Amino acid sequence: MSAEPERPRGRGRPRSTEADEAILTAALELFTEGGAGAASMQAIAARAGVGRLTVYRRWSTKEELIAQAIESARADIPDPDSATLAATSLPDLIERVLPGAAETLARPGFRALLAQTLGSTQTHPRIMRAYWDHHIEPRRRVSMALLERARDAGDLPAGTDLEVLVDMMVGAVVYRVLQPRPLDAAEAERFLRAVYTQAGLLKDPAADG
Amino acid sequence: MSAEPERPRGRGRPRSTEADEAILTAALELFTEGGAGAASMQAIAARAGVGRLTVYRRWSTKEELIAQAIESARADIPDPDSATLAATSLPDLIERVLPGAAETLARPGFRALLAQTLGSTQTHPRIMRAYWDHHIEPRRRVSMALLERARDAGDLPAGTDLEVLVDMMVGAVVYRVLQPRPLDAAEAERFLRAVYTQAGLLKDPAADG
C-alpha cells in the first residue's frame, strides 16, 4: 500500500476531475456487465471518451482502477468521520448508516457488482486483493475498534471473537444479497436490523415491547 | 422441481453410471476453470468423452447439470440420515461434519468453484436458482428443523431469528473462503468452530477451562 498515491479513503468517492469520474463510471459499468474480462483499459477509455494515456496517468493497472470503481458504487453508504465515531454509540452509528446501506443492497446494479467482484477472485485475484487492501481492510480496522469498545463496555460478551463476528455480519449480507430472491429496500433494512440484533449490537425490539 | 426425475438428495452424489460421473466431472472442471460461459453442453460432452445426446438424455439444461456438478464437489461433507439427525444433539452433529467440512473449505478447487458459482448469479442466474432449489433449500430445511429443536430446548434464545442465523453462519464461511488469504484445513476448522460458538451452537472452550 505504501507505493500507492495518497487518496482520501473511507469517505465514498475521492475528489476527482470530470475525466476521473467518467473513467470510474465506465469501469464500473463494464465490470458489472461483463466482468473483469470485459473491462480492459482500452474498453474503459473508449466508453469514458478519453485516451488510454489519460487512464494510465491516474491508474497504473486495471485491477487498481476496477477496485476503486467498485468502491465508488457504495458512495451512498457514508463512513462517519473519526469525531463522530468517537462521540456516538455503536447502536446510534448503525442506525445512522442503516437506511442508506439498505437502499444500496436493494439496487440490482449492486447485486450484479457483488457477484462480479466475488466471481473475479478466481479469474482475476488482483482485483479483490486491491479492493481488500485499499477499501475493505481500512474499514474493517474501524469496525474492529468500535467492536472492541463495545466489548470493553460489556455490550458484547468478553470472549467474543470480533474478527469472526465481522465475517458473520458482512458474510450474511453478501450471501443474502446473492440468493435467488432479491431483497427490496424495506426487506434489506429488516434483514440488516436482524443481523445486528443477532450479533448483539442492536436491541431486540420484541424484548422492549 | 416436480418435473425433475427423482434422484436421491442430500447424500452427496447420486448413484450414477460411469458416463454420468464423467459428465459431472467434466462439467465441474470446465465451470470451475472458466465459469458458465466455458461450460457449454458441447464442451462438457467433449471433455467427458461422450456424445452430446448422452448428456441431454440425463440433463435437459446446462444449468441443471452445472448445479448438480457443483453439488458433487461437496461429496465429502456427508449429510447425516434422518435417524442420526433425530438421535444426535446439534453440537455432536456439528462435531461429526466439521473435519470434512474444514478439508473441503481449504481446497483451492472449492474456493474457485465458490467464486464461479457466486459470480454466475449475475451472468447465468438459472444456475444458482437450480442449485438453490435442488440442493441448498432442502438442506436449509433440515438445518432449520435442527435449529428449531435447539431453540425449543432453550439452547438458543427464544427470540432468535433462525433464518438470519443460518445466513450468518453460511455467509461467514462463504465470505471468509473468498478473502485474499486462503485458509488451510486447520484454520478452516478453527474458523468453523468460532462461527458455531458465536452462533451459540458450540460451547466456548475458554468458558470450560
Side-chain angles (χ1 to χ4, degrees):
Chain A
M1 277 171 79
S2 56
E4 273 293 291
E6 274 303 310
R7 304 177 198 143
R9 280 183 193 141
R11 305 193 179 200
R13 279 192 278 203
R15 203 171 35 163
S16 63
T17 67
E18 218 170 291
D20 284 357
E21 291 284 347
I23 293 165
L24 286 169
T25 302
L28 184 61
E29 287 174 2
L30 286 166
F31 179 67
T32 302
E33 291 161 15
S40 66
M41 289 297 239
Q42 181 144 24
I44 293 167
R47 183 170 298 198
V50 302
R52 261 211 289 179
L53 263 182
T54 308
V55 182
Y56 277 109
R57 214 171 285 134
R58 182 79 165 78
W59 290 276
S60 54
T61 68
K62 94 172 188 178
E63 287 79 8
E64 297 284 334
L65 168 50
I66 293 174
Q68 200 178 340
I70 295 169
E71 172 70 10
S72 72
R74 67 183 298 294
D76 50 351
I77 311 180
D79 292 307
D81 60 48
S82 56
T84 306
L85 288 175
T88 315
S89 75
L90 192 47
D92 286 350
L93 285 170
I94 292 170
E95 292 290 350
R96 198 172 295 196
V97 298
L98 216 143
E103 291 286 344
T104 300
L105 298 184
R107 287 208 313 260
F110 181 82
R111 188 166 188 259
L113 177 63
L114 183 61
Q116 295 287 17
T117 303
L118 295 176
S120 77
T121 58
Q122 162 64 3
T123 52
H124 297 76
R126 287 191 302 159
I127 294 175
M128 178 59 111
R129 176 89 257 173
Y131 186 57
W132 188 270
D133 289 348
H134 300 170
H135 302 293
I136 299 185
E137 191 61 46
R139 207 171 271 134
R140 200 171 162 110
R141 279 198 298 273
V142 172
S143 302
M144 291 300 294
L146 293 172
L147 290 172
E148 275 163 27
R149 201 173 74 185
R151 191 175 58 185
D152 292 348
D155 293 333
L156 287 173
T160 306
D161 185 327
L162 302 180
E163 295 276 357
V164 167
L165 189 59
V166 170
D167 283 338
M168 289 177 81
M169 292 190 288
V170 179
V173 172
V174 166
Y175 181 59
R176 180 62 191 85
V177 166
L178 292 176
Q179 288 172 21
R181 207 185 55 74
L183 297 168
D184 65 27
E187 290 169 328
E189 186 163 335
R190 278 197 298 277
F191 183 79
L192 287 171
R193 273 185 201 288
V195 168
Y196 285 121
T197 303
Q198 174 64 32
L201 299 174
L202 288 181
K203 283 217 178 110
D204 185 353
D208 287 341
Chain B
M1 278 173 77
S2 56
E4 273 295 291
E6 274 303 311
R7 307 175 197 143
R9 277 181 195 143
R11 305 194 180 198
R13 280 191 279 202
R15 202 169 36 161
S16 61
T17 68
E18 216 169 293
D20 283 357
E21 291 283 347
I23 293 166
L24 285 170
T25 301
L28 183 62
E29 287 174 1
L30 286 166
F31 179 67
T32 302
E33 290 160 16
S40 66
M41 289 297 239
Q42 181 145 24
I44 293 167
R47 183 170 298 198
V50 301
R52 261 209 291 178
L53 263 183
T54 309
V55 182
Y56 277 110
R57 215 172 284 134
R58 183 81 165 76
W59 291 276
S60 53
T61 68
K62 92 170 189 179
E63 286 80 7
E64 297 284 335
L65 168 50
I66 292 173
Q68 199 178 340
I70 296 169
E71 172 70 10
S72 72
R74 68 183 297 294
D76 50 351
I77 312 179
D79 292 307
D81 59 48
S82 56
T84 305
L85 288 176
T88 315
S89 76
L90 191 47
D92 287 349
L93 284 170
I94 291 170
E95 291 291 349
R96 198 173 293 196
V97 297
L98 215 142
E103 291 286 345
T104 300
L105 299 183
R107 286 207 314 259
F110 181 82
R111 189 166 188 259
L113 177 64
L114 183 60
Q116 296 286 18
T117 303
L118 295 175
S120 77
T121 58
Q122 164 62 4
T123 53
H124 297 76
R126 286 191 302 159
I127 293 174
M128 177 60 111
R129 177 89 257 173
Y131 186 56
W132 188 272
D133 288 349
H134 300 170
H135 301 292
I136 298 185
E137 192 61 46
R139 206 172 273 133
R140 200 172 163 109
R141 278 198 298 271
V142 172
S143 302
M144 290 300 294
L146 293 172
L147 290 172
E148 275 164 26
R149 201 173 73 186
R151 191 175 59 184
D152 292 349
D155 294 333
L156 287 173
T160 306
D161 185 326
L162 302 180
E163 295 276 355
V164 167
L165 189 60
V166 170
D167 283 337
M168 289 177 81
M169 292 191 287
V170 179
V173 172
V174 166
Y175 180 60
R176 180 62 192 85
V177 166
L178 292 176
Q179 287 173 20
R181 207 185 55 72
L183 297 168
D184 65 27
E187 290 169 328
E189 187 162 336
R190 279 197 297 278
F191 183 80
L192 287 171
R193 273 185 202 288
V195 168
Y196 285 121
T197 302
Q198 174 65 32
L201 299 174
L202 288 181
K203 282 216 178 113
D204 186 353
D208 288 340

